[in-house]
Amino acid sequence: MNDQGFDELLDSVRWMGRHMRGEEDSGRTTRIPDPDVKAIRETTGLSQSQFALMIGVKLKTLQNWEQKRVRPAGPARALLQIVAADPHAAIRALHGHAA
């Protein structure tokens, strides 16, 4: 390795150290806002119990999402985005009939 390559590698290691300590921002972070679960549910016109049953989660889980004690993740987050985009189509697809 030549001097220039070593210096670049050393700079990268130092940058990573600063980044790991929270002193450096990569500038490439994408932040997707958390879904407003309560607002999404309310657009469906369903109660908490009905909505939780429809999307396949426990009532307590839905309540925790709505109170922002826990954030939905993974497939649940994707499903909530689908419901938010087209509540009636989502209900038909998940429930087997129109709302």
Side-chain angles (χ1 to χ4, degrees), residues 2-74:
N2 62 26
D3 287 344
Q4 180 183 356
F6 180 78
D7 289 342
E8 288 174 5
L9 181 60
L10 187 57
D11 285 344
S12 293
V13 170
R14 287 180 176 147
W15 180 88
M16 181 55 77
R18 290 189 306 272
H19 179 73
M20 298 280 290
R21 290 187 301 273
E23 299 168 0
E24 187 82 35
D25 186 16
S26 69
R28 291 181 243 159
T29 303
T30 302
R31 289 190 169 74
I32 300 172
D34 289 330
D36 185 344
V37 180
K38 184 175 182 180
I40 293 169
R41 177 185 59 80
E42 288 176 343
T43 64
T44 66
L46 298 174
S47 69
Q48 285 183 332
S49 298
Q50 292 168 324
F51 191 78
L53 182 63
M54 181 184 76
I55 65 170
V57 299
K58 294 180 181 180
L59 175 58
K60 189 67 174 172
T61 298
L62 178 66
Q63 291 169 339
N64 283 331
W65 290 345
E66 288 193 5
Q67 295 299 313
K68 302 187 186 322
R69 290 187 287 257
V70 178
R71 297 182 327 198

Side-chain angles (χ1 to χ4, degrees), residues 87-89 91-93 95-99:
H88 297 293
I91 291 171
R92 282 193 306 275
H95 217 354
H97 58 78

